[in-house]
Amino acid sequence: WFGYHKNHLWDNCEHKFYMFGCEQTNNLIVMPLEFLESFLDNFNISTDEDGEINHWHIVIFKDKDDRYTLMLSKPEIREIDITKYLLQG
């Protein structure tokens, strides 16, 4: 899993992407930030001592057929295919 933090340095960028490194396969998932952030309400979160969101939990799976999925935890657990965002190393 990965922890996602919003970064306001990107606010003025026209094209925004978030990259997830897959260590065991040397692959990258390069996902448009708009796509990722459209699911923020569906991810589990960690909060700080004031109850503010510290980061969102991003869970990515790779199955035996080399298909990559993004796990959404709310309102119920489901996975969506993100293989199209894969850059193979």
Side-chain angles (χ1 to χ4, degrees):
W1 74 268
F2 301 87
Y4 170 69
H5 303 262
K6 285 194 174 188
N7 186 333
H8 295 288
L9 293 175
W10 301 333
D11 288 348
N12 295 323
C13 296
E14 183 177 350
H15 303 285
K16 304 171 193 172
F17 296 88
Y18 206 81
M19 298 190 320
F20 300 93
C22 306
E23 182 179 347
Q24 294 177 349
T25 61
N26 292 323
N27 292 334
L28 286 175
I29 303 285
V30 182
M31 195 178 300
L33 194 58
E34 183 176 328
F35 174 80
L36 177 66
E37 289 189 344
S38 73
F39 295 106
L40 290 183
D41 290 337
N42 303 106
F43 298 131
N44 287 329
I45 59 171
S46 289
T47 57
D48 62 19
E49 57 275 354
D50 297 323
E52 298 293 321
I53 295 175
N54 187 34
H55 63 272
W56 288 263
H57 300 208
I58 309 299
V59 180
I60 296 174
F61 294 109
K62 177 185 169 221
D63 69 16
K64 62 180 174 24
D65 297 320
D66 291 333
R67 189 175 73 103
Y68 286 78
T69 59
L70 179 65
M71 186 177 85
L72 306 179
S73 301
K74 300 173 186 176
E76 58 188 42
I77 294 176
R78 67 185 173 106
E79 294 178 42
I80 57 172
D81 191 343
I82 58 168
T83 306
K84 67 181 180 181
Y85 300 119
L86 173 66
L87 291 178
Q88 295 184 323

